[in-house]
């Protein structure tokens, strides 16, 4: 109506027909959200990540892949979004349909553990400790072979996001600290003199 009144200054009012912008909201499934927090390095599975992205794109899977890293070279897809390294990755994990880690090897990945503790399934390689911590293919994970020979199978199943309740591991620290005596109160009484030897703020 505002524009119609403005146009009436230039045209005859009876020559103007008011039509609002047509808008149809199409129903669309929400995209799968993949999250990786890793260096883009060969040993961290950069090539496998590219193969997975290519297969997802070719299959026209509706997904967004957030990759938390300071490196942006070597992983190309219009569905990949790079986020600079940050400490508060938990907010991104909470959004995830899957957490993806495709490394050659890991000792005991915090990324995988943090995902599973949140009941978020993982897409990972067959790391040797997975069985020990309770990772099971098709239950709380899709496990990609190191040679990516089963990537098509994973892509075919990826929209079936596993639902599960993860049994958290006992960390064993209770056995270490069970008989120890806290020194916290005594340490609060300690006073330490600190001297700045160089000013980094100038």
């Amino acid at each position: 109506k505002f524009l119609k009144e403005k146009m009436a200054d230039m045209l005859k009012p009876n020559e103007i027909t008011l039509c609002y912008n047509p808008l149809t909201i199409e129903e669309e499934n929400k995209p799968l959200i993949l999250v990786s927090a890793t260096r883009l390095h060969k040993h961290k599975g950069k090539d496998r990540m590219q193969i997975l992205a290519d297969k997802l794109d070719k299959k026209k899977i509706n997904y967004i892949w957030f990759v938390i890293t300071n490196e942006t070279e070597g992983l190309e897809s219009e569905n990949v979004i790079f986020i600079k390294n940050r400490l508060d990755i938990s907010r991104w994990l909470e959004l995830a349909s899957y957490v993806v880690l495709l490394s050659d090897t890991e000792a005991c990945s915090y990324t995988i553990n943090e995902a599973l503790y949140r009941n978020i399934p993982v897409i990972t390689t067959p790391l040797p400790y997975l069985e020990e911590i309770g990772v099971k293919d098709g239950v709380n994970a899709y496990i990609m072979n190191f040679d990516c020979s089963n990537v098509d199978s994973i892509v075919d199943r990826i929209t079936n996001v596993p639902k599960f309740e993860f049994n958290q591991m006992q960390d064993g620290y209770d056995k270490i600290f069970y008989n120890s005596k806290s020194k916290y109160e005594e340490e609060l009484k300690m006073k330490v003199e600190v001297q700045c030897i160089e000013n980094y703020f100038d």
Side-chain angles (χ1 to χ4, degrees):
K1 289 181 180 179
F2 171 78
L3 291 175
K4 179 181 178 181
E5 291 171 0
K6 291 297 182 184
M7 294 298 292
D9 295 338
M10 297 179 285
L11 302 172
K12 297 176 181 178
N14 61 356
E15 294 178 350
I16 301 172
T17 301
L18 175 61
C19 296
Y20 291 104
N21 291 340
L23 180 62
T24 301
I25 302 298
E26 298 178 0
E27 289 190 15
E28 187 172 347
N29 293 329
K30 291 183 179 180
L32 290 172
I33 303 296
L34 310 183
V35 176
S36 293
T38 185
R39 290 182 292 117
L40 283 183
H41 187 277
K42 182 179 187 305
H43 300 301
K44 290 294 185 179
K46 177 183 71 173
D47 296 340
R48 295 184 192 99
M49 293 170 73
Q50 185 65 64
I51 289 170
L52 178 58
D54 289 344
K55 293 288 186 177
L56 291 169
D57 293 343
K58 185 176 180 181
K59 194 84 173 180
K60 300 191 184 307
I61 300 294
N62 184 18
Y63 78 100
I64 298 171
W65 192 345
F66 294 111
V67 180
I68 303 170
T69 183
N70 285 338
E71 303 154 335
T72 58
E73 297 294 328
L75 183 56
E76 297 180 6
S77 169
E78 63 182 12
N79 296 306
V80 171
I81 298 174
F82 292 104
I83 300 170
K84 288 194 173 183
N85 279 345
R86 53 197 302 152
L87 294 176
D88 59 339
I89 67 167
S90 60
R91 68 176 66 183
W92 299 99
L93 295 181
E94 294 290 351
L95 295 173
S97 308
Y98 293 93
V99 169
V100 182
L101 183 73
L102 300 175
S103 301
D104 289 352
T105 185
E106 294 281 344
C108 187
S109 166
Y110 267 107
T111 301
I112 289 178
N113 288 355
E114 287 192 45
L116 295 174
Y117 276 37
R118 290 176 167 85
N119 297 315
I120 301 167
V122 297
I123 299 175
T124 185
T125 42
L127 301 168
Y129 69 91
L130 294 183
E131 183 178 353
E132 177 183 344
I133 67 171
V135 176
K136 296 179 182 174
D137 187 57
V139 175
N140 50 28
Y142 291 130
I143 299 177
M144 183 188 293
N145 296 335
F146 287 119
D147 62 3
C148 301
S149 56
N150 65 334
V151 65
D152 289 316
S153 172
I154 291 172
V155 170
D156 288 341
R157 295 180 290 163
I158 200 168
T159 55
N160 298 320
V161 181
K163 303 294 182 190
F164 62 94
E165 291 288 331
F166 189 71
N167 293 322
Q168 297 185 9
M169 299 173 294
Q170 299 299 317
D171 56 31
Y173 284 100
D174 56 333
K175 297 181 180 67
I176 297 174
F177 297 116
Y178 179 72
N179 292 320
S180 63
K181 183 178 179 181
S182 173
K183 297 180 181 178
Y184 182 68
E185 293 299 328
E186 293 299 317
E187 289 173 349
L188 285 176
K189 300 174 186 175
M190 294 172 59
K191 298 192 182 300
V192 178
E193 183 177 339
V194 178
Q195 179 181 0
C196 179
I197 59 174
E198 187 165 346
N199 190 345
Y200 288 96
F201 299 100
D202 287 342

